[in-house]
Amino acid sequence: MHALIARFPNWILFLPFASSLALAAWALPHQPARVPVHWNAAGQPDRWGSPAEALFFLPGALLFGALIVLAAGQAQATSRPLLNTVVLGLGLMALGDVAAQAFGWDSFRVTMGSLGLLFMLMGPALAASEPSALNGPQLSRATLRRLGQAWLGLGLLVLLASLLAPAGGWITGTLLTGTLAMLVLVVLGARRDRLRRQGS
């Protein structure tokens, strides 16, 4: 799938952003005067703001990040499949966030589930990527493959926790514990690869 995404023209990568902004414009007049705009680690709202902030801030920030990622992809052609996948994933995350606000869904769960989806998209693209200046020239192909598999697994865990966890704190705990486990496994795997290379 990442090879297909790599061939997408830039305008297709930005369709989820365009959809999120159109949905936000449609939903804006239908929102209450004050809405939650930030959540704590337990998934409880801890800051309230205007509907415009709730509908446009995160998609705008993600769009800005996507433009930076896209520019990096133009400079580093070998990383383009991975970076195009990141741009598409950020757009889907923006769309999920706006849809949650527009339709009254649990924004924390939707945003965390969208993050899991982003990780799941990035995993196979990272596993198939070539070592480059953007992902670290010191990383071997085996380490990149392992890292991609770890991202995919972490994304699946976060997505499942977002769908099934009884409380928001479980989702945050899954993300933090999964990230730590992923880092430990990747570092140990990279060390094992290095020792094998030195031994042969």
Side-chain angles (χ1 to χ4, degrees):
M1 180 172 178
H2 59 275
L4 175 65
I5 294 172
R7 292 194 296 266
F8 283 172
N10 290 347
W11 67 268
I12 289 181
L13 296 174
F14 285 93
L15 276 178
F17 284 108
S19 301
S20 70
L21 294 174
L23 181 58
W26 171 82
L28 186 60
H30 308 291
Q31 299 295 302
R34 287 176 48 77
V35 295
V37 294
H38 191 269
W39 291 260
N40 62 24
Q44 302 300 316
D46 60 4
R47 192 167 76 76
W48 297 73
S50 71
E53 180 183 0
L55 289 166
F56 291 102
F57 179 76
L58 184 60
L62 292 173
L63 177 58
F64 179 72
L67 291 170
I68 292 172
V69 168
L70 189 66
Q74 301 306 319
Q76 183 76 37
T78 58
S79 294
R80 194 167 297 141
L82 172 60
L83 298 179
N84 282 5
T85 302
V86 171
V87 169
L88 181 63
L90 291 174
L92 293 172
M93 200 171 169
L95 184 57
D97 180 69
V98 170
Q101 187 65 40
F103 300 118
W105 302 336
D106 184 332
S107 290
F108 180 78
R109 283 183 184 273
V110 172
T111 300
M112 294 298 277
S114 298
L115 182 64
L117 179 62
L118 172 63
F119 292 168
M120 289 175 67
L121 287 171
M122 286 174 53
L126 184 59
S129 68
E130 297 291 324
S132 75
L134 291 173
N135 60 28
Q138 72 279 10
L139 298 180
S140 68
R141 287 187 181 173
T143 300
L144 284 172
R145 188 170 45 254
R146 191 176 297 111
L147 186 59
Q149 292 166 347
W151 272 111
L152 177 64
L154 176 61
L156 182 60
L157 282 175
V158 172
L159 181 61
L160 288 174
S162 299
L163 294 171
L164 304 173
W170 287 81
I171 304 168
T172 304
T174 300
L175 175 62
L176 295 176
T177 305
T179 301
L180 181 61
M182 177 187 77
L183 291 173
V184 168
L185 289 173
V186 168
V187 167
L188 290 176
R191 183 173 182 271
R192 188 182 65 205
D193 291 344
R194 189 172 60 251
L195 291 173
R196 271 192 198 149
R197 283 195 305 270
Q198 289 172 350
S200 55

